[in-house]
């Protein structure tokens, strides 16, 4: 059996845009023959139609589609090669149609999307047609669909022409409250697009992240010469500031007329409508985040290096 190197896997991925593990399996089956591996991937519906798939897709658009009843939201990132094409009307139309299709059909992942039905054929065929028409490689990188609960509501916002997209959802006590705050949620999504909070609320912070911040704060205070008893009193305040800086609910709301955090602002707006509301979900996509210069995620490049 041929020795399948990391470079072979990486080269095949760049040529076909197939997943790293799929490329490795194809190379193993093809005994290292790249052309045979490409053929195997195409037979399995995992490779792009032509050599355009060999080019890196590191530009693109983040899109958000909200259902008419504000109960379902889908956020997607679809990549192309250049910023020029990202602004192309045909590409923009494809992005919108794809995001709407994802919301309607609810595929579990990108592979399920590509192999699912679209206009009487596989969605992958629509992708190939669009690639041929536009003349650049196009990759549906990721997507997420969320749904509000019975009395809940959600909304979203796209920032900087598709460079950042945000969806936020709130639980409400009654439908009337949900209707009253849906526009507020769009403004909160706008806030999150600009301020980039890492977490929804303090409860969402992983224990290991808190532990890390405690260790960092402790080391800084020890370096300043603070005694242990003093450090123990200061640490909670440091963590509170970390939460304020990094949690959406605790950040100072940029559109508030008076100084108040996002959570308080939402509560007050809900009270004005005679109800209650609480943020329960937050998703933020930034175009290209996590991609290397080769159009792969760091995890994919590590996987290739270990192939």
């Amino acid at each position: 059996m041929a020795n399948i190197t990391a470079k072979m896997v990486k080269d095949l991925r760049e040529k076909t845009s197939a997943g790293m593990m799929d490329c490795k399996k194809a190379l193993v089956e093809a005994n290292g023959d790249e052309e045979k591996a490409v053929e195997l991937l195409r037979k399995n519906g995992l490779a792009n139609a032509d050599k355009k798939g060999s080019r890196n897709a590191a530009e693109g658009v983040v899109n958000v589609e909200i259902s008419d009843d504000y109960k379902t939201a889908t956020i997607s990132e679809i990549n192309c090669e250049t910023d020029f094409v990202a602004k192309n009307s045909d590409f923009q139309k494809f992005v919108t149609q794809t995001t709407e299709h994802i919301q309607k059909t609810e595929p579990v992942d990108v592979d399920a999307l590509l192999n699912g039905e679209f206009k009487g054929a596989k969605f992958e065929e629509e992708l190939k047609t669009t690639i041929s028409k536009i003349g650049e490689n196009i990759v549906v990188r990721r997507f997420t669909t969320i749904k509000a609960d019975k009395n809940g509501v959600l909304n979203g916002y796209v920032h900087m022409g598709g460079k950042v997209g945000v969806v936020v959802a709130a639980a409400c006590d009654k439908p009337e409250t949900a209707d009253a705050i849906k526009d507020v949620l769009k403004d909160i999504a706008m806030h999150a697009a600009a301020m980039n909070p890492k977490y929804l609320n303090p409860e969402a912070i992983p224990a290991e992240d808190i532990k890390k911040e405690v260790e960092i704060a402790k080391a800084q205070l020890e370096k300043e010469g603070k005694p242990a008893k003093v450090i123990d009193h200061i640490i909670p305040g440091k963590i509170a500031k970390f939460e304020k800086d990094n949690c959406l609910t605790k950040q100072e709301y940029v559109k508030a007329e008076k100084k108040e955090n996002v959570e308080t602002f939402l509560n007050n707006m809900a009270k004005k409508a005679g109800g209650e509301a609480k943020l329960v979900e937050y998703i933020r996509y930034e175009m290209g985040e996590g991609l290397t210069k080769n159009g792969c995620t760091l995890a994919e490049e590590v996987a290739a290096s270990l192939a």
Side-chain angles (χ1 to χ4, degrees):
M1 185 179 75
N3 179 34
I4 308 303
T5 66
K7 186 177 185 306
M8 292 168 67
V9 175
K10 182 179 176 183
D11 288 347
L12 184 59
R13 184 198 186 277
E14 291 179 351
K15 177 171 281 191
T16 65
S17 292
M20 287 292 185
M21 294 309 297
D22 291 321
C23 288
K24 184 177 180 181
K25 288 178 183 177
L27 285 165
V28 170
E29 189 173 343
N31 200 29
D33 187 314
E34 186 179 86
E35 291 306 314
K36 287 183 179 179
V38 170
E39 184 178 345
L40 286 168
L41 288 169
R42 290 193 66 186
K43 286 179 178 178
N44 290 317
L46 298 171
N48 281 328
D50 52 36
K51 290 182 180 179
K52 295 183 182 70
S54 69
R55 303 201 294 256
N56 294 329
E59 292 291 337
V61 168
V62 174
N63 186 47
V64 172
E65 294 294 329
I66 308 295
S67 63
D68 292 339
D69 61 1
Y70 294 89
K71 291 290 186 180
T72 305
T74 301
I75 183 170
S76 68
E77 179 184 349
I78 300 179
N79 300 128
C80 56
E81 295 175 48
T82 64
D83 184 58
F84 177 78
V85 164
K87 296 174 182 176
N88 176 279
S89 60
D90 288 328
F91 178 75
Q92 294 273 349
K93 181 180 178 181
F94 173 76
V95 170
T96 299
Q97 288 182 338
T98 298
T99 311
E100 291 174 344
H101 177 69
I102 290 167
Q103 186 171 115
K104 181 179 178 180
T105 59
E106 301 183 7
V108 296
D109 55 26
V110 173
D111 283 342
L113 168 67
L114 294 176
N115 288 294
E117 185 176 334
F118 184 78
K119 297 180 180 179
K122 279 188 177 181
F123 178 85
E124 184 180 30
E125 295 305 315
E126 178 71 13
L127 175 60
K128 290 176 181 178
T129 299
T130 306
I131 289 172
S132 298
K133 181 178 181 180
I134 290 177
E136 284 195 4
N137 188 25
I138 297 171
V139 176
V140 180
R141 183 185 173 206
R142 55 178 174 162
F143 54 81
T144 304
T145 296
I146 65 172
K147 296 184 178 183
D149 62 18
K150 182 179 179 181
N151 290 327
V153 64
L154 48 73
N155 213 333
Y157 176 74
V158 175
H159 186 54
M160 296 176 63
K163 297 301 183 184
V164 178
V166 175
V167 173
V168 291
C172 303
D173 60 331
K174 53 189 176 182
E176 291 79 7
T177 306
D179 186 62
I181 68 162
K182 63 179 185 290
D183 290 336
V184 175
L185 292 185
K186 183 174 183 178
D187 287 341
I188 290 175
M190 188 186 302
H191 166 102
M195 303 307 292
N196 192 17
K198 292 175 65 177
Y199 318 99
L200 171 64
N201 52 35
E203 293 74 28
I205 305 176
E208 57 267 29
D209 288 7
I210 292 292
K211 181 180 179 182
K212 180 181 177 181
E213 290 304 314
V214 169
E215 290 172 351
I216 291 171
K218 186 175 181 181
Q220 291 173 342
L221 293 168
E222 287 175 346
K223 190 174 182 180
E224 293 173 7
K226 297 286 194 299
K229 288 184 178 180
V230 173
I231 289 175
D232 289 342
H233 286 291
I234 295 176
I235 291 294
K238 292 278 189 180
I239 296 305
K241 186 178 186 306
F242 174 77
E243 293 174 351
K244 180 180 178 181
D245 291 341
N246 293 280
C247 294
L248 175 57
T249 59
K250 299 302 179 184
Q251 286 184 338
E252 187 174 327
Y253 185 45
V254 294
K255 294 193 72 174
E257 294 181 359
K258 58 181 181 180
K259 195 171 182 178
E260 56 188 350
N261 63 31
V262 170
E263 183 176 51
T264 301
F265 181 84
L266 180 62
N267 286 340
N268 289 338
M269 294 303 293
K271 286 179 181 177
K272 286 182 179 180
E276 298 176 354
K278 178 182 179 182
L279 287 178
V280 294
E281 197 156 3
Y282 156 60
I283 299 172
R284 185 183 189 275
Y285 278 10
E286 185 162 339
M287 205 287 299
E289 62 188 347
L291 287 178
T292 68
K293 65 180 180 180
N294 295 312
C296 308
T297 64
L298 180 59
E300 286 173 334
E301 292 209 341
V302 170
S305 69
L306 296 175

